[in-house]
């Protein structure tokens, strides 16, 4: 009901973020100003991202500092995510390292830094952070899956990779991303028959995800069904181009 009332406070953050996605930072800023005091941190983050989109890095930094001052050190993770979306990986990494320096036992901070380092190809450094995240929070399904998928994708320590992903699925059995990781680990291990079910379930969960579709296409190629493989590869290519 709230979402059907455009001026309802519950809708404002969603509308502001939608404006950012649609390339309208001025509208995002307008909506951010309407947020109540209880959402001051989110308002500062949205406002900062809008400033960044308009090329005003200095003003964006000021708004990010305000978000951190109000929301605490964990808000650095939100700032880092915004910076990463804007292609500012070096600045994002600084924010995450500052988060860890202030809260070295925060598993979420370690996971965030590990994921960023992994995306940058710094696999050894990433693994250290991901393993620390798991040590700090053994029930972090996201960290277990991230490390497991990373190892599997590189073809390293495949038995451990499979075990990590299976542990993640024990905690979150219906997660489509983890099912894709499981299927991919089976593929890397040469256990092709076991890969089909999790990969197909993942594709039903994420029918427009290029990586998931590509993995399923790879499965069908290996299974000898080149026609179906080409269908999924084409879908992967189409969705990759759209993103």
């Amino acid at each position: 009901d709230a979402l059907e009332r455009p001026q309802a406070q519950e809708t404002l953050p969603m509308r502001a973020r939608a404006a950012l996605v649609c390339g309208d930072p001025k509208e995002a800023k307008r909506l951010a100003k309407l947020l109540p005091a209880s959402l001051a941190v989110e308002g500062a983050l949205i406002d900062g991202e809008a400033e960044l989109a308009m090329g005003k890095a200095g003003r964006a930094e000021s708004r990010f500092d305000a978000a951190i001052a109000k929301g605490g050190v964990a808000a650095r993770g939100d700032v880092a995510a915004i910076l990463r979306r804007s292609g500012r990986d070096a600045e994002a990494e600084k924010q995450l390292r500052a988060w860890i320096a202030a809260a070295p036992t925060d598993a979420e901070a370690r996971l965030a830094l590990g994921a960023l380092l992994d995306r940058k190809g710094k696999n050894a450094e990433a693994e250290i952070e991901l393993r620390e995240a798991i040590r700090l929070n053994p029930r972090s399904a996201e960290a277990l899956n991230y490390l497991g998928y990373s190892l599997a994708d590189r073809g390293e320590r495949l038995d451990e990779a499979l075990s990590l992903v299976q542990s993640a699925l024990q905690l979150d059995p219906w997660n489509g991303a983890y099912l894709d990781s499981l299927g991919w680990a089976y593929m890397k291990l040469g256990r092709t028959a076991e890969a089909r079910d999790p990969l197909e379930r993942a594709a039903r969960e994420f029918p427009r995800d290029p990586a998931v579709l590509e993995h399923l296409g790879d499965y069908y190629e290996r299974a000898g069904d080149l026609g179906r493989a080409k269908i999924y590869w084409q879908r992967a290519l189409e969705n990759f181009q759209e993103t």
Side-chain angles (χ1 to χ4, degrees):
D1 177 63
L3 293 176
E4 293 179 356
R5 293 181 282 116
Q7 298 307 316
Q9 288 186 345
E10 297 90 338
T11 72
L12 293 174
M14 186 181 299
R15 291 172 59 205
R17 294 194 181 283
L20 286 169
V21 171
C22 293
D24 191 352
K26 290 184 178 180
E27 175 66 3
K29 283 181 63 64
R30 185 187 75 80
L31 292 167
K33 291 179 181 178
L34 300 177
L35 293 177
S38 60
L39 295 176
V41 175
E42 188 162 12
L45 290 168
I46 292 170
D47 197 30
E49 187 167 2
E51 294 285 8
L52 204 59
M54 293 188 290
K56 300 175 181 178
R59 294 177 65 171
E61 184 177 355
S62 176
R63 299 304 293 140
F64 294 151
D65 287 344
I68 294 165
K70 293 174 183 176
V73 68
R76 290 189 183 277
D78 298 311
V79 173
I82 292 169
L83 292 168
R84 185 177 58 79
R85 286 198 295 272
S86 302
R88 298 170 177 262
D89 282 2
E91 295 172 56
E93 184 176 338
K94 288 181 181 178
Q95 289 288 342
L96 294 176
R97 291 193 182 280
W99 182 9
I100 289 172
T105 61
D106 192 318
E108 288 298 315
R110 299 285 183 171
L111 170 59
L113 179 57
L116 177 64
L117 292 170
D118 186 75
R119 283 190 291 269
K120 293 175 70 173
K122 298 180 179 180
N123 304 127
E125 294 178 61
E127 185 172 336
I128 290 171
E129 298 299 336
L130 292 170
R131 289 193 184 279
E132 182 64 7
I134 294 168
R135 187 188 72 79
L136 292 167
N137 181 11
R139 294 186 61 80
S140 173
E142 188 175 358
L144 289 163
N145 175 73
Y146 206 110
L147 179 56
Y149 178 82
S150 180
L151 290 172
D153 199 45
R154 301 198 306 270
E156 299 178 5
R157 286 161 278 161
L158 292 174
D159 289 333
E160 182 188 11
L162 178 62
S163 178
L164 287 163
V165 174
Q166 288 172 331
S167 295
L169 280 163
Q170 287 176 359
L171 295 164
D172 191 357
W174 302 103
N175 190 298
Y178 304 170
L179 289 167
D180 175 67
S181 297
L182 179 64
W184 196 233
Y186 280 139
M187 287 282 288
K188 290 287 188 172
L189 282 162
R191 295 162 61 174
T192 306
E194 294 170 90
R196 178 175 182 171
D197 179 67
L199 289 177
E200 288 188 338
R201 289 170 62 192
R204 288 195 294 270
E205 184 73 19
F206 298 116
R208 296 174 64 84
D209 187 293
V212 171
L213 294 168
E214 182 181 4
H215 290 165
L216 187 53
D218 290 350
Y219 159 77
Y220 278 114
E221 180 197 32
R222 192 173 297 180
D225 190 340
L226 188 57
R228 191 169 294 184
K230 289 180 178 178
I231 290 172
Y232 283 103
W233 288 335
Q234 182 62 38
R235 291 181 187 174
L237 181 60
E238 290 169 357
N239 284 282
F240 178 79
Q241 291 172 337
E242 288 178 7
T243 57

